[in-house]
Amino acid sequence: MTPSETGALELDAADPGHRELFDVPPAQGGDYPEVAYFAGNSLGLRPKATRSELLEDLDSWAALGVEGHLDAARPWLPYHELLTGPAARLVGALPSETVVMNTLTVNLHLLMVSFYRPTRSRHRIVIEDSAFPSDSYAVRSQVAFHGYDAEDAVIRLRPRPGEHSLRTADVVEQLGGDVALVLLGGVNYLTGELMDIPTITKAGHAAGSIVGWDLAHAAGNVPLALHDWDVDFAAWCSYKYLNSGPGAIAGAFVHERHLGADLPRFEGWWSTDAKTRFEMTPESRPPATADAWQVSNPPIFSMSPVRTSLEIFDKIGIEVLRERSVRLTAYLEKLLAGTAEIITPADPARRGAQLSVRVRGAGELSRQLRFEYGVIADSREPDVLRFAPVPLYSTYHDCWRAGTALAEVMA
Ligand SMILES: *Cc1c(COP(=O)(O)O)cnc(C)c1O
């Protein structure tokens, strides 16, 4: 039986999220004033507190000029340290293993400088065939930078014929002795598949590889335990589930056992220990923390929204959000299942807050959903529509709207 609108509203009363903390855009079509927003896996909504807290930081500049480095209410020199603890808790890392800096693909490159160190007999990189293009370009250019041929060196993992997701056992089987680096998405951007990060990391290590994870679609979506899973390195962006705004400053993780080690790194003045930075010596003295991977002094007004958002996650807790996420996603699944083929794994343990459906003319359908129903879902050409019910601000009623709207536009 298709769930009713009244039923959806009852579920919202019994299992509310935190929509009141966010600005939800007005709808441009349909029967409801606000959009039903399912694009939080692409760009999360703005927390209400972001605006006022950013203005506070901006006004410190007006009031103090250069003295804001030390005298601002949130001083700029150690500003990034305000983000370290909450980011570390979110991804299951030690604060020393975590740093918020740059943007995602830049961080992947900086980390590969240290962790992709190919030799003739071991120079391959394993990624998913459906890796986000930026990751594909990044690894191909790293391979070329080291003088190898990307066609030969990059192994792209494909699902079995007729299947949409990668099986863990099939991934593990591909991790041979010629693999220098395994670099997979924790949650695949297209299918929403949540990979078995601990098992694959362990298998990669057994094969003698370094294992890094792109957590663009995993951070703020599912609980992570990067330290305990023995992940070598990871990076994530902050504008998807982390609601920190377009192009927001990203995160990076380096496992404790690599900290302070003699690894190649591209350095700048923010790579050196903060305690001696202003001695202005010609050689850097990097700290034995992930901060050593920083290069430039951070953009404060871009870090401010990340700080505000991470505080929300810190207060509510990713475990609590995950529980609501599982309930909300299962409810949306019930609503979409009769209408379109869902290519996201059916097992809640193998997915986060995203359901991808295969439909013909995804681009046109997403325009119809937006302008006729006020439902925001994003399309990936040619045939995938992605719906992300975000536990912080999505509602059961949003899911009900998406389910009925998709059924109507497909009819
Ligand atoms: C969103 C996303 C990116 C985007 O890269 P930026 O450097 O933040 O522009 C890269 N990789 C994956 C897997 C993504 O999902």
Side-chain angles (χ1 to χ4, degrees):
M1 201 185 80
T2 318
S4 70
E5 183 168 19
T6 321
L9 293 169
E10 281 167 9
L11 284 168
D12 278 324
D15 183 14
H18 300 271
R19 194 182 184 87
E20 74 286 353
L21 298 179
F22 291 84
D23 290 302
V24 180
Q28 290 168 290
D31 299 333
Y32 303 94
E34 291 178 348
V35 294
Y37 196 75
F38 289 95
N41 55 347
S42 188
L43 183 76
L45 293 179
R46 189 184 77 170
K48 287 184 175 146
T50 296
R51 186 172 192 276
S52 53
E53 294 188 9
L54 174 57
L55 285 174
E56 286 165 18
D57 287 328
L58 202 50
D59 286 346
S60 296
W61 181 26
L64 294 161
V66 71
E67 308 301 345
H69 281 303
L70 294 173
D71 296 345
R74 290 183 281 264
W76 306 328
L77 274 180
Y79 196 100
H80 79 276
E81 293 169 13
L82 298 173
L83 290 68
T84 304
R89 285 188 282 279
L90 185 73
V91 298
L94 303 173
S96 59
E97 296 172 317
T98 311
V99 58
V100 176
M101 61 178 188
N102 309 315
T103 45
L104 169 55
T105 313
V106 170
N107 286 346
L108 290 176
H109 275 300
L110 291 175
L111 291 162
M112 278 192 276
V113 164
S114 305
F115 294 107
Y116 175 56
R117 303 177 64 193
T119 61
R120 204 127 281 295
S121 60
R122 189 188 276 277
H123 64 272
R124 297 212 153 87
I125 303 183
V126 170
I127 64 172
E128 325 94 291
D129 190 45
S130 62
F132 193 81
S134 199
D135 300 50
S136 186
Y137 307 159
V139 301
R140 289 176 65 92
S141 62
Q142 284 280 335
V143 164
F145 176 74
H146 287 280
Y148 294 94
D149 172 12
E151 291 307 316
D152 158 65
V154 179
I155 300 173
R156 308 183 70 96
L157 303 179
R158 291 181 182 81
R160 295 185 183 190
E163 298 186 4
H164 303 293
S165 310
L166 291 166
R167 299 189 190 192
T168 304
D170 291 354
V171 174
V172 166
E173 202 167 284
Q174 299 280 321
L175 308 180
D178 54 356
V179 175
L181 172 64
V182 181
L183 182 58
L184 298 170
V187 172
N188 183 267
Y189 87 99
L190 188 64
T191 64
E193 177 183 14
L194 168 58
M195 304 298 283
D196 185 341
I197 299 176
T199 300
I200 293 170
T201 301
K202 203 167 171 199
H205 288 163
S209 312
I210 289 278
V211 185
W213 290 92
D214 183 328
L215 303 173
H217 284 264
N221 179 8
V222 292
L224 298 162
L226 300 184
H227 177 86
D228 289 347
W229 294 341
D230 209 24
V231 164
D232 290 291
F233 71 89
W236 57 92
C237 60
S238 307
Y239 48 84
K240 293 170 180 167
Y241 293 99
L242 293 183
N243 308 319
S244 304
I249 302 304
F253 164 88
V254 176
H255 198 279
E256 187 179 34
R257 73 199 139 76
H258 297 302
L259 300 177
D262 185 21
L263 290 166
R265 252 193 333 265
F266 285 170
E267 295 189 338
W269 71 316
W270 238 250
S271 318
T272 203
D273 198 320
K275 291 191 282 295
T276 53
R277 181 171 298 136
F278 289 93
E279 292 175 14
M280 304 306 222
T281 56
E283 298 88 26
S284 77
R285 276 173 274 174
T289 67
D291 279 5
W293 274 264
Q294 294 180 110
V295 179
S296 291
N297 82 105
I300 301 304
F301 308 135
S302 297
M303 296 211 121
S304 181
V306 186
R307 189 186 51 74
T308 302
S309 173
L310 286 174
E311 268 178 20
I312 294 175
F313 280 90
D314 223 22
K315 214 172 280 168
I316 298 169
I318 187 70
E319 302 285 347
V320 169
L321 289 171
R322 171 65 172 165
E323 287 172 18
R324 182 164 189 271
S325 175
V326 168
R327 294 190 293 270
L328 206 54
T329 304
Y331 180 74
L332 180 64
E333 182 179 37
K334 238 185 332 193
L335 285 151
L336 298 179
T339 307
E341 182 198 3
I342 297 174
I343 62 169
T344 305
D347 178 359
R350 294 302 309 277
R351 69 187 186 199
Q354 175 180 324
L355 294 175
S356 300
V357 297
R358 172 156 285 171
V359 290
R360 226 173 306 160
E364 179 50 31
L365 285 183
S366 89
R367 274 185 292 281
Q368 270 179 284
L369 289 174
R370 176 179 169 203
F371 291 112
E372 293 169 25
Y373 297 90
V375 172
I376 308 291
D378 98 359
S379 64
R380 294 287 139 158
E381 294 299 337
D383 61 358
V384 173
L385 270 181
R386 304 184 305 167
F387 294 87
V390 173
L392 271 171
Y393 51 72
S394 295
T395 62
Y396 290 90
H397 189 253
D398 288 339
C399 296
W400 178 84
R401 284 173 64 187
T404 43
L406 187 69
E408 288 188 26
V409 296
M410 300 265 301

